[in-house]
Amino acid sequence: MSRYDVTREDLDRILCTEPRYRVDQLWDALYHRFEEPGDVGTLPRALRARLGAEPALAPALRIEAERQADRGETVKWVVALGDGARVETVLMHHPRHSTACVSSQAGCAMACSFCATGQAGYTRQLTAGEIVEQVVLAARAARTSGRRLDHVVFMGMGEPFANYDNVLAAVRRIVHDVGIGARRVTISTVGVVPGIRRLSVEPLQVNLAVSLHAANDELRTSLVPLGRRYPLEALTTACADYVAATHRRLSFEWALIDAVNDTRRDADELAALALPLRAHVNLIPLNPTAGGLDIGLAGTPPDGVRAFRDRLASHGVNVTVRRTRGRSIDAACGQLAARATPGLAS
Ligand code: SAH
């Protein structure tokens, strides 16, 4: 549990001997100023001391390691949770905005062959507060370097829709309490159809990304085992219903794997799926992982990436090539596999 799992009603109880406005002051300190309860400047000293020692308000995340890449524009934290489970959180600065990439589970049970988290296996669900606390960690660090965190993507460890309720509770806190616009929050799924269907009736304007990687079932199931449970027909039908219900733009994520899913035929198949959904396609060359290299998976070279992009564009597909960030510190897409990192602590 995290101090960000605590509700206002819980704070009412913790502060029952205090004037009521103390609850608002503490809430503001936690969600807008990212302060430690023991350091809240607007509270009297004796109360700060009591709150600093209050078990329900202790932090759930302990930073085990902090590493930087891209001249400080990418920061990765390995954080330990109360029970010793580990997750990773990444902060990326761009010229005009800053994005936190958060984990929704410790590990992941989806076992995608090319993904380091999938190769490491599943540990447990995160609570909503443990997710929000990652956002606060990133927001505080952004502020310290004179930036403002304004985007959140659920593209860290885990499958968000395998932890649906906690992820949605976290999104509500991020939007309503931290104050990041729902349109700046993206949930990325490997293709859990019931999750897509549930999201389409939520009164929240969040973005949905679907990690596709293959546009025929034979190839897709070899990369994404969950494709057996939810074949492309069911997945794309759910996507179409989602777009019809929400009028939100959908994106397809596609990690380009050399000689596996980067041929003209792959581009043509992908275009045929993306066009009727008006989906935006994000391409990224596969980042190297130990398990991926073992089975011969490597990223598509730059000229192949350009050719694939151009082929999609010639069909009229909206396509972006994403820049790899944080590869040197294993912070790039699909590289998160929180290992114990003795001697690395910042
Ligand atoms: N489980 C969710 C979110 C976590 S992964 C999902 O699958 O969408 C975030 C993104 O990184 C996904 O699009 C995933 O397919 C991609 N990814 C995983 N491993 C990768 C790798 N080695 N190189 C590039 N992208 C990768």
Side-chain angles (χ1 to χ4, degrees):
M1 291 290 272
S2 156
R3 60 174 62 137
Y4 292 95
D5 285 304
V6 167
T7 63
R8 269 181 189 272
E9 292 68 41
D10 295 330
L11 289 190
D12 278 341
R13 276 190 293 279
I14 291 169
L15 294 169
C16 62
T17 56
E18 300 288 331
R20 283 203 67 104
Y21 60 84
R22 295 285 183 225
V23 172
D24 292 328
Q25 285 176 317
L26 181 52
W27 197 262
D28 181 57
L30 288 173
Y31 285 93
H32 297 131
R33 299 217 279 242
F34 319 127
E35 287 176 316
E36 291 295 314
D39 299 336
V40 180
T42 50
L43 299 179
R45 187 185 304 194
L47 181 57
R48 288 201 302 253
R50 174 158 84 80
L51 295 177
E54 166 62 49
L57 297 177
L61 309 184
R62 191 170 52 76
I63 297 177
E64 279 203 337
E66 175 181 303
R67 303 192 67 187
Q68 302 202 358
D70 309 318
R71 293 196 207 88
E73 296 295 273
T74 305
V75 187
K76 178 179 88 163
W77 294 279
V78 179
V79 299
L81 306 172
D83 61 353
R86 286 190 184 82
V87 297
E88 299 190 359
T89 306
V90 182
L91 170 64
M92 287 163 287
H93 295 302
H94 305 270
R96 277 181 298 279
H97 64 268
S98 297
T99 302
C101 179
V102 299
S103 297
S104 56
Q105 300 180 307
C108 186
M110 298 298 142
C112 299
S113 55
F114 51 86
C115 174
T117 309
Q119 291 154 19
Y122 172 77
T123 305
R124 73 161 168 87
Q125 304 289 21
L126 299 195
T127 68
E130 288 169 336
I131 297 169
V132 175
E133 204 173 315
Q134 293 173 66
V135 173
V136 169
L137 167 67
R140 187 190 280 161
R143 183 173 290 182
T144 303
S145 48
R147 317 288 272 268
R148 205 173 83 83
L149 182 76
D150 55 4
H151 285 73
V152 174
V153 296
F154 283 80
M155 294 188 181
M157 301 171 80
E159 166 49 43
F161 287 159
N163 187 16
Y164 187 95
D165 291 331
N166 293 348
V167 164
L168 264 287
V171 170
R172 282 184 215 105
R173 277 283 160 84
I174 292 163
V175 170
H176 298 138
D177 296 296
V178 182
I180 293 174
R183 289 162 185 270
R184 294 172 167 195
V185 174
T186 300
I187 298 180
S188 181
T189 179
V190 70
V192 178
V193 166
I196 296 171
R197 296 210 171 278
R198 286 180 74 181
L199 188 69
S200 66
V201 294
E202 298 281 352
L204 270 174
Q205 299 279 296
V206 294
N207 303 301
L208 176 66
V210 174
S211 299
L212 204 62
H213 307 310
N216 69 74
D217 280 315
E218 192 189 344
L219 178 58
R220 190 160 196 272
T221 51
S222 76
L223 298 170
V224 176
L226 194 78
R228 277 193 282 276
R229 180 121 148 244
Y230 303 114
L232 284 165
E233 169 78 39
L235 179 57
T236 51
T237 304
C239 288
D241 293 348
Y242 174 85
V243 171
T246 62
H247 308 292
R248 305 282 307 145
R249 193 181 73 177
L250 177 76
S251 66
F252 283 148
E253 308 298 311
W254 193 282
L256 279 163
I257 310 175
D258 192 23
V260 172
N261 66 354
D262 62 354
T263 66
R264 282 167 77 108
R265 194 180 136 207
D266 293 301
D268 295 346
E269 283 176 353
L270 170 55
L273 286 192
L275 280 172
L277 296 167
R278 284 199 228 100
H280 188 98
V281 173
N282 287 312
L283 301 176
I284 189 156
L286 185 81
N287 285 304
T289 64
L293 290 172
D294 280 350
I295 54 171
L297 302 182
T300 298
D303 53 342
V305 173
R306 279 191 293 273
F308 196 88
R309 177 199 60 198
D310 293 346
R311 183 85 186 170
L312 285 175
S314 74
H315 284 292
V317 175
N318 277 314
V319 53
T320 306
V321 177
R322 293 209 317 216
R323 193 158 65 91
T324 287
R325 300 280 293 255
R327 192 186 279 191
S328 62
I329 53 170
D330 284 348
C333 300
Q335 291 192 319
L336 305 184
R339 289 175 283 265
T341 42
L344 205 75
S346 46

